[in-house]
Each structure stands twice: as C-alpha cells, then as structure tokens.
C-alpha cells in the first residue's frame, strides 16, 4: 500500500513524482547535481545559454536538479550563493520542462542572531509556537510558500518538488542541529513547518525529505525523525573527509541503514548530498561512488555544487576525473536526463 502523503491536499503531480522516483529504482539511480545550471567552473548562468559542467563533460544533463533557497526568508533578491531567485525560478521551470527532478534545500539564516545557518545561537525553541520569534518564523514560511507557488510550468500548473529543510540536523554546525536543538525541539520545528506550509500557507506542490548527515546506526538516523505522517521521502548527506577505505565502509553502513528504514516505512529514498571536495581522486566515480551505492535501491544521488576551483564536487571540462566520469555515466544503471526520460 502507498504511504499517505504528509500533505493531505498534495496535488496529484506530487504523488506522480514519487511514483516516478520509485520506478526509477528498477532501472538504477538518477544522477543529480546542486546548482548545475546556475554556474560552474569559469562560468555563470546568463539566462540565455543553458549550461551545466556535467553536460560539458558527458553531453547529457543531470536527471536531478538541486537548488537552495537560503535568503528567501528575508525576501532577498538573491540566495546565499548570489543566485537571483528570479533566475532560479526560470532554471527550475527549464529543468522541469526537460523532464528533470527538482529538489530544494534551505540554508536558512539564524532567526535570532540574524547571522547565517552556521551561527549556532540558540534559536529553534524561540521560533516554535509560543516562542518569542514565532511571528517572524511565520513571515519566513509565508515567503517560502510564495516562492513555491511561483514554480509553475508553461500551462500554469505547479511544479512538484522535493523540499528538504533543516538538513543534517544530527550535526552541530547548523542552528537547527543537535545540540543546538534537542530532538524534541527539532521534531516540533519539523511538524510545525510541514503543517503550516501545507495547511496555513496552502503549499501543495512539495513532498518533504528528512535528511540527516552520516550516521552510525538506525537509532542515530531516527533520533530526530518527526514521524511517518510528516515525512514523504528519506535522505542522507554523506561526504568523504577521510580515507577512501573509511568512506567506503561508512557508505556501506549508511546505505544499509537508510534502505532498511525506508523499505520498512515504504518510502522512497536517496543520497541527498554527497561528494569528495575538489574530487582529488581521479577514479572516485567508479571505484568509490558507484561501487558502493549501485545496489542500494536509492532513487537518486546528488553531488554538491561546483562553486570554484577551490570548492567543487563534480567534474568540469579540464578536470582529471573526466575520463572516469564518462565510464561512470555510461553504466546502464547510472541515469542521466535522457535515461530517465526514456523510462
Ligand atoms: C555549503 C557550501 C557553502 C554554501 C552552502 C549552500 O555546503 O557549499 O559554500 O553556501 O552549501 O549552497
């Protein structure tokens, strides 16, 4: 039986997307990249050309498109990485019209200190219902709702997407993470966010993705979990910081934890962020990434952004890993845009 969506008024296209994501797993996993059409190494989107470092390297676009709406809460014109929201809307429309899957994260500023996401001034308890900053939080959510409702295709139909707020909550680096919020406070934050966006602000084109950072076991994965009725999709963020051997083991354990929980809950799942910063290992794609995730049952894997030559996670034309990336791309179970459109 299909799990009920967290938003009881979700539009039919939301369920269709989830069905599609489940179907994809019969063929392999979809490949995704954060901000892939917004910028890459040595270029920035100019709203005329439609580019991606991935397409430059392999001649096809990613299947999954990650965007971040950090800054929308203030009504800013640009997101935290300087992408104009007006351009983001166009890029989302374009990716959707070509058959791509959209996922949105939110590096929200700290509502109490007004500094960035990484400012860990205590904040969660103050934005919950009854808290001193709850009114401000309502304004923030109303701006998110406004943005989500701008995402429409050429027929004015709302574009379905994955919304992944308050990610990596088991890490200490974000104001919403442990120990800056207790698991109970985090669960309240999630429930209030989900129910306010759907019931109060009438956002009906999103499904909700819960995504901790690397975990040791199932208990750790579920520590902050708000409950099955508030979550539609399970994710996890995994970065290689140490040796390849260590990362392979971590990936294996984390894939096992994620798939076991997701299958038991009958929810689709994905690696919502992954990467080895600056891809310092030229055959990372086939020997580490694909090798450990190919039979995991994930719907997608999303690499983080190509910001600059000092901070990138995907190959670009002149990078030393391009030949291995092509081998990776050619595997029949690694699905780029053309591949998911053929399903
Ligand atoms: C982080 C880094 C930051 C960036 C943020 C949101 O992982 O890439 O530089 O601002 O994601 O994209």
């Amino acid at each position: 039986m299909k799990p009920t969506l967290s938003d009881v008024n979700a539009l039919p296209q939301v369920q269709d997307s989830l069905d599609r994501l489940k179907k994809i797993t019969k063929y392999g996993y979809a490949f995704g990249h954060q901000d892939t059409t917004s910028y890459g190494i040595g270029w920035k989107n100019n709203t005329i050309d439609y580019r991606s470092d991935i397409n430059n390297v392999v001649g096809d676009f990613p299947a999954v498109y990650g965007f971040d709406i950090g800054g929308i809460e203030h009504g800013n014109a640009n997101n935290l990485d300087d992408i104009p929201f007006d351009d983001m809307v166009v890029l989302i429309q374009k990716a959707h019209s070509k058959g791509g899957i959209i996922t949105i994260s939110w590096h929200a500023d700290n509502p109490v200190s007004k500094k960035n996401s990484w400012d860990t001034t205590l904040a969660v308890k103050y934005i919950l219902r009854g808290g001193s900053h709850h009114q401000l939080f309502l304004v923030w959510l109303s701006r998110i709702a406004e943005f989500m409702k701008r995402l429409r295709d050429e027929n004015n139909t709302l574009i379905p997407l994955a919304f992944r707020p308050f990610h990596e909550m088991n890490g200490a680096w974000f104001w919403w993470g442990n120990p800056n919020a207790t698991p109970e406070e985090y669960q309240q934050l999630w429930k209030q966010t989900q129910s306010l966006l759907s019931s109060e602000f009438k956002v009906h084109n999103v499904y909700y993705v819960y995504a901790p950072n690397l975990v040791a076991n199932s208990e750790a994965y579920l520590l902050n979990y708000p409950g099955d009725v508030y979550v539609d999709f399970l994710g996890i963020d995994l970065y290689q910081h140490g040796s390849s051997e260590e990362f392979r083991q971590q990936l294996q354990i984390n894939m096992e934890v994620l798939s076991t929980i997701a299958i038991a809950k009958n929810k689709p799942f994905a690696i919502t962020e992954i990467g080895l910063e600056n891809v310092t290992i030229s055959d990372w794609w086939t020997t580490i990434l694909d090798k450990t995730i190919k039979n995991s049952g994930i719907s997608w894997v999303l690499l983080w952004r190509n910001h600059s030559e000092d901070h990138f996670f995907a190959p670009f034309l002149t990078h030393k890993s391009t030949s291995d990336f092509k081998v990776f791309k050619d595997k029949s179970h690694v699905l780029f845009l053309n591949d998911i459109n053929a399903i």
Side-chain angles (χ1 to χ4, degrees), residues 224-294:
N224 295 279
Y225 188 63
D228 294 344
V229 296
Y230 295 94
V231 173
D232 303 300
F233 193 103
L234 300 180
I236 196 150
D237 292 4
L238 305 164
Y239 286 91
Q240 179 172 346
H241 296 293
S243 73
S244 296
E245 202 31 59
E246 183 193 15
F247 188 58
R248 269 198 212 98
Q249 280 171 19
Q250 288 172 333
L251 260 180
Q252 243 144 33
I253 294 167
N254 278 264
M255 288 300 90
E256 186 68 39
V257 167
L258 178 66
S259 61
T260 307
I261 295 174
I263 290 164
K265 294 186 179 303
N266 195 18
K267 294 189 194 289
F269 55 102
I271 302 181
T272 38
E273 287 186 31
I274 201 164
L276 166 65
E277 192 176 25
N278 304 340
V279 200
T280 49
I281 300 169
S282 51
D283 58 358
W284 193 77
W285 310 109
T286 57
T287 63
I288 298 170
L289 183 67
D290 182 59
K291 204 172 179 180
T292 25
I293 69 174
K294 63 179 164 198

Side-chain angles (χ1 to χ4, degrees), residues 34-35 39 68 80-81 107 118 239 273 304-305 307 311 313:
Q34 182 75 5
D35 284 346
Y39 50 80
D68 195 281
L80 78 162
D81 299 319
H107 281 81
W118 295 268
Y239 286 91
E273 287 186 31
W304 205 240
R305 64 201 198 107
H307 169 253
H311 185 55
F313 296 87

Side-chain angles (χ1 to χ4, degrees), residues 193-219:
T193 301
Q194 194 283 328
S195 54
L196 283 163
L197 282 176
S198 52
S199 311
E200 180 76 19
F201 297 111
K202 317 272 184 244
V203 173
H204 299 309
N205 55 327
V206 311
Y207 53 95
Y208 292 82
V209 184
Y210 169 80
N213 190 58
L214 180 86
V215 294
N217 51 42
S218 309
E219 291 69 46

Side-chain angles (χ1 to χ4, degrees), residues 20 24 29-30 63-64 99-101 335-343:
R20 183 181 184 210
I24 281 175
Y29 57 85
V64 180
I101 295 155
L335 310 172
F336 281 62
L337 186 61
N338 287 331
D339 305 316
I340 63 160
N341 282 333
I343 291 176

